[in-house]
Amino acid sequence: MVDTLEMLSQFPEIAQYRPDITSHPVKVFPIPKTRYLVFYDPQSTPLFIVRVLSSSMN
């Protein structure tokens, strides 16, 4: 998970906005080999992680 967060801090444009999941202006990135999604503000410096959720949650 730490590797993914470090990558996002270096390349915040890699993820997409997901209006089907949230109406907030955050991007969502799935953590490889897990069921977790990272929600973050791509405009913030340093990168602001809003939330990490399991994709199995409703």
Side-chain angles (χ1 to χ4, degrees):
M1 182 183 301
V2 172
D3 292 339
T4 298
L5 298 177
E6 288 177 357
M7 180 192 61
L8 289 174
S9 71
Q10 293 176 15
F11 305 102
E13 70 284 350
I14 197 168
Q16 298 179 347
Y17 291 103
R18 295 286 308 270
D20 58 318
I21 296 176
T22 180
S23 61
H24 298 285
V26 296
K27 288 192 171 191
V28 181
F29 189 81
I31 298 176
K33 300 179 183 177
T34 72
R35 293 184 176 192
Y36 292 100
L37 300 171
V38 179
F39 294 75
Y40 67 96
D41 178 358
Q43 304 298 320
S44 63
T45 304
L47 191 70
F48 180 69
I49 305 299
V50 176
R51 184 167 290 187
V52 176
L53 289 177
S54 171
S55 62
S56 63
M57 295 181 69
N58 290 334

